[in-house]
Amino acid sequence: MPESEGPQLLSGKVAIVTGAGRYRGIGRHIALALARNGADVVITGSGRPQESFPPDERQIGWRDIDSVAEEVVRLGHRALPLVVDITKPDDCDRLVNEARREFGRIDFLVNNAAAGRGRDRVPLLDLEESEWRRVLDVNLNGTFLVTKAVGRALVEQGEGGRIVNIGSIAGRQGLPSFGAYAVTKAGLVLFTQVLAAELAAHKINVNCVCPGLTNTYRMEDVTRPGPIRDAVMATIPLRRAGEPGEVGELVAFLCGPDASYIHGQTINIDGGRLMI
C-alpha cells in the first residue's frame, strides 16, 4: 500500500523534474508533491559522485535520484530515475525518448536543475570567465535545451501541458556577488514570458516560481543560527526561511486543474522579502 494518498488531481499525468536528486533539495520535494497529487515522475540528476554528498546524505545511505524514485514508488506511483546532462542536446532528446518509452506520454516539465554554488559568488569584476560561462551554461542554456526537447514533445502530443521554471528572488533584485546566478534567474523570467506567448495556442501553460531563502543544503551557511542568519531574517517579514516542501506544493498546484488560467506569471515564494 502507498504511504500517502493526496487528492490525486494529477492522476494519469507524467512529470519530468530536473535536478531532483538532493535529499534536502527543492527538486526532490517537487517530485514528491507531484506524486502525492497522483503523477508519475521522471527524476533527473547530474550523476554527482557519492564523495560529493553532504554528511547527512552519506549518513542515511542516500542514493541521489534512485532514492527519490523509491520515495515516489512508496507513494503509489511510477518513477524513472535518469542521469541527464541538460547542457547536451543529445541527453535532452534521450530524456524525452526514455520518458515516452516508459510512460507513453509527458504532461509536465519542471526546470529545477541549476549550477551549484561555487567560485561565482564574487563581485562581477572579480568573476572568472569560466565561472560565468559555467553558471550560464546550466541555468540558461540547459533550461533552453531541455525545454526545447520536451516542449516539442508536448506540442506533438497535442493535449496541452505545463512548464514550470524555478527561478529565484535573486533574479528580481540586484544583490552583490550574485552576478552570474542573478542574471540567469532574471533571464528565466523573460524566458517564461516568451515561451508562454508562443505556447498558449497549444494550451501549454508556462510559469515561473521564484523561491526566497529556503532550507536546503545549498543555503546551509545562511540558515544555520548566527549573525548571518539574523541579518537575513531581518529582511524577511515572516522572519523564517521557507521549506522546500512549500515550493513543491506550489509547483504541484501550478500543474493542477485549478491553475489552468495562470499563464506567463512569475510567482515569488519568499516570505515577503521582495515586498519591502
Side-chain angles (χ1 to χ4, degrees):
M1 293 292 290
E3 287 183 357
S4 173
E5 288 291 347
Q8 305 297 290
L9 295 174
L10 308 181
S11 180
K13 303 295 187 180
V14 176
I16 294 174
V17 184
T18 66
R22 291 184 178 272
Y23 177 67
R24 285 190 291 145
I26 288 174
R28 170 187 171 234
H29 286 273
I30 291 171
L32 295 180
L34 291 167
R36 280 193 297 270
N37 281 274
D40 299 319
V41 189
V42 181
I43 302 144
T44 85
S46 61
R48 58 192 174 114
Q50 285 198 342
E51 56 268 23
S52 71
F53 287 16
D56 60 340
E57 289 187 348
R58 293 198 296 268
Q59 186 174 6
I60 64 174
W62 192 248
R63 293 182 296 110
D64 203 63
I65 56 176
D66 291 322
S67 291
V68 181
E70 289 174 357
E71 291 183 299
V72 169
V73 171
R74 285 199 295 271
L75 289 168
H77 300 285
R78 297 177 294 170
L80 176 64
L82 290 175
V83 173
V84 175
D85 183 346
I86 64 170
T87 68
K88 296 180 178 177
D90 289 348
D91 266 29
C92 296
D93 290 339
R94 177 174 59 84
L95 167 62
V96 170
N97 293 335
E98 291 288 342
R100 284 170 147 179
R101 184 176 297 115
E102 183 75 14
F103 299 125
R105 62 182 298 111
I106 301 169
D107 297 281
F108 315 134
L109 168 64
V110 183
N111 284 311
N112 175 72
R117 292 172 68 185
R119 298 189 308 276
D120 59 299
R121 302 304 169 90
V122 297
L124 278 171
L125 299 186
D126 298 325
L127 182 61
E128 297 174 14
E129 181 185 350
S130 60
E131 281 297 283
W132 170 265
R133 292 183 181 277
R134 177 184 70 86
V135 176
L136 265 66
D137 198 29
V138 176
N139 294 7
L140 277 183
N141 294 340
T143 298
F144 161 69
L145 290 172
V146 74
T147 301
K148 183 177 180 180
V150 176
R152 283 178 165 176
L154 291 175
V155 169
E156 180 184 308
Q157 197 168 273
E159 299 179 28
R162 306 291 168 87
I163 297 174
V164 182
N165 299 315
I166 305 302
S168 167
I169 65 166
R172 312 207 77 187
Q173 59 182 174
L175 298 174
S177 297
F178 274 74
Y181 181 80
V183 165
T184 62
K185 293 301 185 179
L188 285 182
V189 173
L190 264 294
F191 180 79
T192 297
Q193 293 178 9
V194 171
L195 198 63
E198 294 176 348
L199 295 183
H202 300 282
K203 295 182 171 55
I204 299 170
N205 295 67
V206 187
N207 292 291
C208 183
V209 169
C210 287
L213 178 65
T214 307
N215 274 321
T216 65
Y217 170 72
R218 286 179 174 177
M219 299 305 297
E220 197 171 46
D221 58 331
V222 179
T223 56
R224 70 166 64 99
I228 295 177
R229 181 183 184 277
D230 293 343
V232 173
M233 289 303 165
T235 70
I236 302 173
L238 289 183
R239 295 296 190 269
R240 70 172 178 88
E243 296 299 329
E246 294 176 300
V247 181
E249 291 300 328
L250 174 56
V251 172
F253 171 76
L254 289 174
C255 290
D258 293 334
S260 62
Y261 203 52
I262 302 175
H263 187 60
Q265 302 304 304
T266 296
I267 302 170
N268 304 323
I269 178 166
D270 67 346
R273 169 73 183 268
L274 288 186
M275 179 178 68
I276 57 175

